[in-house]
Amino acid sequence: MRIDEFGLPSLVRLSNFAGRSSAFLARVDHDTWTRITATVREAGGRLISLWGAEEAPGISAISAAYALKDGILWLQLPVGEGHGDSDGYPDISVVFPCATRMQRAVYELVGLRAIGAEDTRPWLNHGNWPAEYRPLQKLSSGTERSQSQEADYPFVHVVGDGVHEIAVGPIHAGVIEPGHFRFSVVGEKVLRLEERLGYAHRGIERLFERVLALDGHHIAGRIAGDTTVAFTWAYCMAVERAFDIQIPPRAQWLRALLLERERTANHLGDLGALGNDAGFAYGLARFSRLKEDWLRLNDRFFGHRYLMDRIVPGGVAKDIDARSVTAMLTQCDQIDAQVRVMQRIYDDQSGLQDRFAGAGILSAEVAEHLGVCGLVGRASGRKTDVRVDHPYAPYHEVQVQMVSDERADVAARVAVRFGEIYESIRLIRALLADLPGGEIVSRIEHTGSPSRGVGWIEGWRGDVFVALETGASGTISRCHCHDPSWQNWPALEHAIIGNIVPDFPLINKSFNLNYAGHDL
């Protein structure tokens, strides 16, 4: 079903991405909001993100972005004076369960409540601000201070003979981000896991309002250090669509080069960590060295190990020359050969396979129900990849061969990582072989009128989304960034059921989700 077939009279095309996808915006009423939500589900679409904003005193809007066959449908529902319920909107978690936590965050940040929602517990507010305070409302500066009022969180309790709870976190033994995991177990077998996150909320969405749209990419690139390319590209795409700017072809190809290098670096690191979590320290040592070599070449030719600030509005900040191309192609040959050797070792190592196979199964049905995306979804047979389904430049020319697996366990998620390294290396070779000439950045001048734009990029975890609304003088009135971990964290709770507690670190690492990146 195409977006223009939904019968939305207010439908406006926001942009054509440079590629084969579009974005549309529609202002709707409560009934249409509910009808479209159900229709999107029936049409095989999925929820990308849900967020809220205060548009004027007494008037706010709840927004939802849906992925459909021909692009993004951004729905806006006004809420407030003269717009139905004064502070609420129809719950969509009954149709898209992954919206549950997003709706809880919207209420705490903006004050908009989901009418009829079953789970209304706090998500971001751990007692760090008063219950009536709303950080994203216009009257709030975002700099207010208050005393902690933390209260006990109402976890769901499992009862029965021999059932007990194990609390893990939010502070962990390793150098990782904070998150609390409450296990209900019998012996060592897990009956239920419930997560509590939100400890790393940094007020990033409010920080965007303090800078000009042409400077916001610096903030976007620091949402998640391991996904800096994807977030920056998505943000810059939103700016370019809002200001109707076309970037040079060479810049498009260089952006894809940076994205595939980011994807490869993260997969190399994860494969080592997964080996280590299964007691195979040799894997950690080998993959750590491969990742370090990869990052050093980033620094050598792009000026930053993790490629931060390399993408800018209008293009890229750093070009490459023939010497760089030769060195990267040589490295691709070396890394490809060594990773294939390591895959044979992993496949033949009985201790690893005993830990990987059958652990942390996330069935295709559960993945579909929860809207799981990215590599976790592809390892459960859910074949979604923005580079393939909605190819933006240059991916409509350099076609991606999607990597997937049907086994749905840790072994499948390991196999997808190996496959995606090989595919990224193939793409890097193709990008370097046909890299266009010309400029690497376009000049951008703000036209002076308020505008909107969206960015949508397939990061290494899954699709990263940015919705941008600008003011009359190039300021940012609202910038919402979405990490795929919103969809995938609830799936981890299902994947651990029936496993033993000592397998949780391995299963958790096979997902490797973002803590701070979705606690904006």
Side-chain angles (χ1 to χ4, degrees):
M1 186 173 184
R2 295 180 55 83
I3 293 174
D4 56 12
E5 297 174 352
F6 278 75
L8 294 167
S10 61
L11 189 66
V12 175
R13 184 189 294 271
L14 285 181
S15 64
N16 281 321
F17 296 121
R20 298 180 189 156
S21 191
S22 300
F24 300 83
L25 172 68
R27 299 275 285 191
V28 299
D29 57 24
H30 280 63
D31 291 340
T32 305
W33 170 272
T34 302
R35 175 178 65 83
I36 295 299
T37 299
T39 305
V40 167
R41 188 72 177 194
E42 293 168 2
R46 61 187 180 91
L47 176 69
I48 302 174
S49 187
L50 180 92
W51 69 99
E54 186 181 36
E55 297 184 329
I59 301 177
S60 298
I62 185 71
S63 291
Y66 295 106
L68 289 139
K69 290 183 179 180
D70 56 335
I72 293 173
L73 174 59
W74 174 357
L75 290 185
Q76 271 191 343
L77 170 63
V79 179
E81 298 176 5
H83 296 285
D85 193 285
S86 61
D87 63 350
Y89 58 95
D91 168 39
I92 69 170
S93 66
V94 292
V95 180
F96 292 101
C98 61
T100 299
R101 293 175 177 177
M102 302 179 205
Q103 291 180 163
R104 292 161 64 184
V106 166
Y107 178 71
E108 292 177 290
L109 294 173
V110 186
L112 297 175
R113 58 187 176 88
I115 302 170
E118 182 177 344
D119 191 349
T120 59
R121 294 173 296 172
W123 181 248
L124 294 175
N125 188 0
H126 290 248
N128 300 316
W129 63 76
E132 68 279 2
Y133 175 71
R134 300 288 178 259
L136 291 185
Q137 287 183 345
K138 300 298 183 183
L139 291 178
S140 302
S141 69
T143 61
E144 291 85 356
R145 295 289 184 268
S146 61
Q147 291 186 340
S148 176
Q149 302 174 14
E150 186 168 0
D152 289 340
Y153 183 77
F155 287 98
V156 175
H157 293 290
V158 178
V159 296
D161 292 340
V163 177
H164 64 284
E165 290 185 342
I166 300 176
V168 178
I171 306 302
H172 300 274
V175 185
I176 64 174
E177 294 178 279
H180 182 88
F181 302 93
R182 185 70 59 94
F183 297 87
S184 297
V185 302
V186 171
E188 286 193 326
K189 184 177 181 179
V190 179
L191 301 179
R192 176 185 173 88
L193 166 64
E194 187 172 3
E195 304 152 352
R196 192 182 187 198
L197 305 175
Y199 294 92
H201 180 70
R202 295 163 288 166
I204 285 179
E205 292 184 312
R206 198 60 190 263
L207 288 177
F208 276 114
E209 299 176 15
R210 301 176 184 174
V211 300
L212 295 175
L214 295 182
D215 296 325
H217 61 289
H218 295 298
I219 298 176
R222 286 154 178 79
I223 289 173
D226 59 11
T227 317
T228 183
V229 173
F231 269 109
T232 309
W233 190 354
Y235 177 84
C236 290
M237 180 185 288
V239 171
E240 290 148 9
R241 296 305 87 217
F243 295 169
D244 194 23
I245 299 297
Q246 299 299 319
I247 72 170
R250 185 175 180 87
Q252 293 172 346
W253 288 61
L254 287 172
R255 285 180 174 185
L257 174 66
L258 295 172
L259 186 69
E260 297 308 321
R261 289 195 65 88
E262 178 173 83
R263 192 184 319 277
T264 301
N266 282 293
H267 287 340
L268 289 171
D270 277 0
L271 287 170
L274 282 161
N276 191 60
D277 279 353
F280 192 59
Y282 176 73
L284 176 64
R286 287 292 300 273
F287 277 110
S288 295
R289 185 183 66 80
L290 295 179
K291 180 180 179 181
E292 178 63 22
D293 289 344
W294 195 260
L295 295 179
R296 287 185 181 187
L297 198 68
N298 284 348
D299 187 49
R300 178 181 170 190
F301 292 122
F302 295 103
H304 197 286
R305 288 167 58 86
Y306 291 94
L307 306 174
M308 192 167 287
D309 296 330
R310 300 303 89 184
I311 295 178
V312 298
V316 295
K318 180 79 172 177
D319 204 351
I320 58 175
D321 55 19
R323 182 173 60 93
S324 307
V325 171
T326 300
M328 280 187 273
L329 288 173
T330 300
Q331 185 184 57
C332 282
D333 293 340
Q334 295 170 344
I335 295 293
D336 184 279
Q338 293 179 68
V339 171
R340 291 183 188 276
V341 170
M342 289 304 299
Q343 185 173 21
R344 289 195 292 271
I345 292 173
Y346 270 41
D347 289 345
D348 293 340
Q349 222 287 331
S350 59
L352 275 184
Q353 294 308 311
D354 183 62
R355 293 291 304 278
F356 289 171
I361 293 176
L362 179 69
S363 70
E365 293 76 18
V366 172
E368 174 73 23
H369 178 70
L370 295 176
V372 175
C373 59
L375 73 92
V376 174
R378 292 190 287 274
S380 293
R382 183 170 164 78
K383 299 178 181 179
T384 61
D385 187 321
V386 181
R387 298 172 300 168
V388 177
D389 305 329
H390 305 276
Y392 43 91
Y395 290 109
H396 65 307
E397 298 182 57
V398 184
Q399 297 183 358
V400 176
Q401 299 170 10
M402 192 185 305
V403 180
S404 64
D405 201 296
E406 304 292 333
R407 291 172 292 171
D409 55 4
V410 171
R413 294 186 279 276
V414 168
V416 168
R417 282 176 167 86
F418 274 113
E420 290 200 352
I421 288 176
Y422 305 140
E423 177 59 10
S424 287
I425 288 176
R426 185 191 71 82
L427 290 170
I428 290 170
R429 288 170 173 151
L431 291 164
L432 291 173
D434 296 323
L435 186 65
E439 299 297 321
I440 63 169
V441 66
S442 296
R443 180 178 175 84
I444 298 180
E445 293 182 359
H446 185 252
T447 60
S449 59
S451 56
R452 295 185 178 92
V454 298
W456 198 22
I457 297 295
E458 185 70 28
W460 70 275
R461 282 192 180 93
D463 52 320
V464 170
F465 173 77
V466 173
L468 176 69
E469 299 181 67
T470 69
S473 56
T475 57
I476 297 175
S477 56
R478 183 74 169 94
C479 182
H480 172 72
C481 300
H482 180 87
D483 187 277
S485 299
W486 278 103
Q487 274 83 348
N488 293 359
W489 271 117
L492 179 62
E493 296 181 344
H494 289 263
I496 188 61
I497 293 174
N499 292 263
I500 61 174
V501 175
D503 274 344
F504 176 72
L506 177 64
I507 296 169
N508 187 25
K509 175 55 68 175
S510 75
F511 278 63
N512 195 5
L513 303 177
N514 203 337
Y515 293 76
H518 85 302
D519 285 339
L520 304 186

